[in-house]
Amino acid sequence: MKNATHKTAVVTGASRGIGAAVARRLATGGFNIVVNYAGSADAAKSVVQDIAAAGGSAIAVQADVSDAAAVRQMFKTAEAEFGGVDVLINNAGIMKLALIADSDDALFDSIVAVNLKGAFNTVREAANRLRDGGTIVNFSTSVVGLNLETYGIYAGIKAAIETMTSILAKELRGRSITVNAVAPGPTATDLFLDGKSQEAVDRMAKTSPLERLGTPEDIANVVAFLAGPHAR
Ligand code: NDP
């Protein structure tokens, strides 16, 4: 068992994008990290290697978050390796955009499976297993406020996540566990960039007062604050 005296964070979808940045950032803060991934084993391994090279402690654990049994096994693996789990960063997600009128059942079901059932599977496990004093951070999106066309299914589910976040915070009363959601704006990852023209990317970047896309590190710093001692 490695670093059993350190706190441990499970970061879902940590092989790439925002999750990988969160994993690296929390590791620098002394957390043992579970680098969860679905398909990108090599990318997850390289995040683990980066953390180890910087003096941290991490393991990669494959689990499709839409599979409740796999999520349960991931938490068991984390507990066996590190002695317990303190933090869940519920970051794994996919984005598929379409007008509601054009969305078929398969599109709807695929987004619900990962972004809603996956988030539910992981927060349910965390609610039952996190040590007292822990933290859960869920992921919403700025589109919940912007209400952009073609984001109907994706942002509708993220709105549900925000509501679930507030209710879970109340349900965990008495255990000193905080539950929050972050709602990034356009952030330079595959999820945002894939399938967009440079013109569309530039236009969306300009909507921010900083006139640039967010970076995964921007979001990771906010998550690190929420997971740390100053965000109680
Ligand atoms: P990326 O596409 O860059 O990375 C997604 C990550 O999620 C990958 O590590 C991927 O792992 C993992 N993942 C996907 N499906 C599953 C699954 N079924 N089980 C486990 N892991 C899975 O996305 P981002 O980093 O951009 O997004 C992270 C979060 O931030 C998402 O919840 C997204 O909705 C939210 N967000 C992103 C914004 C943006 O502009 N980028 C804006 C607002 C919110 P693998 O490669 O192994 O499949």
Side-chain angles (χ1 to χ4, degrees):
M1 191 183 292
K2 303 179 197 166
N3 284 344
T5 54
H6 287 201
K7 290 192 169 184
T8 298
V10 171
V11 185
T12 67
S15 50
R16 298 183 287 112
I18 294 169
V22 169
R24 291 190 177 95
R25 177 67 182 76
L26 292 183
T28 66
F31 286 94
N32 303 311
I33 307 293
V34 173
V35 175
N36 162 252
Y37 66 98
S40 303
D42 289 346
K45 203 182 295 174
S46 115
V47 174
V48 168
Q49 284 167 353
D50 289 350
I51 290 172
S57 185
I59 56 169
V61 179
Q62 196 280 338
D64 180 339
V65 293
S66 68
D67 177 345
V71 169
R72 193 166 305 129
Q73 186 54 49
M74 171 172 66
F75 273 80
K76 285 183 181 170
T77 302
E79 288 166 350
E81 185 74 13
F82 296 123
V85 178
D86 304 281
V87 171
L88 167 67
I89 310 299
N90 203 359
N91 159 84
I94 58 172
M95 185 171 78
K96 297 177 184 176
L97 305 179
L99 296 172
I100 289 172
D102 296 340
S103 298
D104 60 18
D105 290 356
L107 179 82
F108 178 85
D109 289 345
S110 66
I111 305 176
V112 167
V114 178
N115 291 9
L116 185 57
K117 180 88 186 330
F120 165 72
N121 286 338
T122 48
V123 294
R124 177 175 58 182
E125 218 51 39
N128 282 302
R129 291 176 176 274
L130 283 200
R131 290 189 282 220
D132 288 2
T135 298
I136 297 170
V137 179
N138 291 324
F139 271 71
S140 180
T141 168
S142 60
V143 184
V144 167
L146 293 170
N147 299 315
L148 302 176
E149 297 94 331
T150 71
Y151 285 75
I153 299 169
Y154 173 79
I157 288 169
K158 293 294 195 182
I161 299 288
E162 288 192 13
T163 300
M164 207 190 294
T165 299
S166 302
I167 290 172
L168 183 61
K170 291 181 178 175
E171 291 181 354
L172 295 179
R173 179 186 296 278
R175 290 174 54 194
S176 194
I177 292 175
T178 62
V179 191
N180 288 287
V182 293
T187 305
T189 69
D190 295 345
L191 177 140
F192 172 75
L193 295 169
D194 280 359
K196 289 194 179 69
S197 66
Q198 191 59 48
E199 186 274 329
V201 170
D202 292 344
R203 184 165 31 80
M204 292 189 80
K206 286 276 180 203
T207 62
S208 155
L210 294 185
E211 299 193 322
R212 66 165 176 82
L213 296 180
T215 66
E217 291 72 25
D218 289 333
I219 315 304
N221 283 326
V222 176
V223 171
F225 165 71
L226 291 172
H230 304 303
R232 307 307 294 173

